[in-house]
Structure formats: C-alpha cells, structure tokens
Amino acid sequence: MILSTTPQIEGHPIREYKGVVTGETIIGANAFKDFFAGIRDIVGGRAGSYEKVLSEAKDTSIREMMMRAQALGANAIVAIDLDYETIGANGSMLMVAASGTAVVI
C-alpha cells in the first residue's frame, strides 16, 4: 500500500478512485504520564511518554485507514490528512483521525 499526502503519486497514474477512507483512534493518557509531563513542562525538555502515545495513535489510525482501503480493492491512498484533537474531561483523551482517498494505481 502506497501512502501519500499529495493528491497523486508521481509516475503512477490513478486508474480508479475507490472513495474516501478514514481511521480513527482515541487513546487515553494516564495520570502517571500526566505527572511526569507536568514536571517536564516545569524543567524543560520533551515529554517522551506523550510523544510515544501520540505516535501509537497515529500509527493505529493509519493502519485502520489502510485496512479499509484494502477492503475496497485499493493499492494506494492519496491526499492523506491527519488531525489531532484532545477530548474528554480536561483533555484527558487524544483523538487522531486519518483520512484520504483510496485509489488503484
């Protein structure tokens, strides 16, 4: 499966459009991670635990989107967009949504 944020893939003409596909992930950040991220905010540095959660959510959303594209018979997804939002009480949950157009190249 070829993935691209561009509307086409150079050297590979799109032969068929299968439709819009999406993948969504909602993941919680536990209190332990929140505590250490707060310390990082005070002393500086990167919040590695949050970065790991964010990466996991992104990967899961993309994987889900790919499975939906494969089910439609696509071998590529173009015009991919990733959206990140915090939801829930005090922004305790992270939502990552991936969307794109499933195509046959």
Side-chain angles (χ1 to χ4, degrees):
M1 177 79 53
I2 297 174
L3 305 175
S4 177
T5 58
T6 61
Q8 55 197 72
I9 300 167
E10 187 175 342
H12 299 279
I14 294 173
R15 294 185 287 158
E16 186 178 353
Y17 289 87
K18 295 293 192 171
V20 174
V21 287
T22 62
E24 302 83 15
T25 303
I26 297 176
I27 208 162
N30 68 30
F32 184 71
K33 290 178 186 174
D34 289 345
F35 174 75
F36 285 108
I39 291 173
R40 291 258 192 224
D41 286 343
I42 293 168
V43 298
R46 294 173 64 168
S49 59
Y50 272 124
E51 289 175 355
K52 183 178 178 189
V53 168
L54 185 62
S55 181
E56 281 178 30
K58 175 190 62 83
D59 292 345
T60 302
S61 294
I62 290 173
R63 220 176 11 259
E64 185 176 301
M65 181 180 60
M66 287 173 53
M67 290 186 328
R68 289 177 177 162
Q70 288 172 337
L72 294 174
N75 62 0
I77 304 172
V78 295
I80 294 173
D81 180 53
L82 296 171
D83 291 310
Y84 300 86
E85 295 290 332
T86 55
I87 59 174
N90 300 320
S92 61
M93 305 289 281
L94 173 68
M95 179 182 73
V96 179
S99 62
T101 302
V103 298
V104 176
I105 56 173

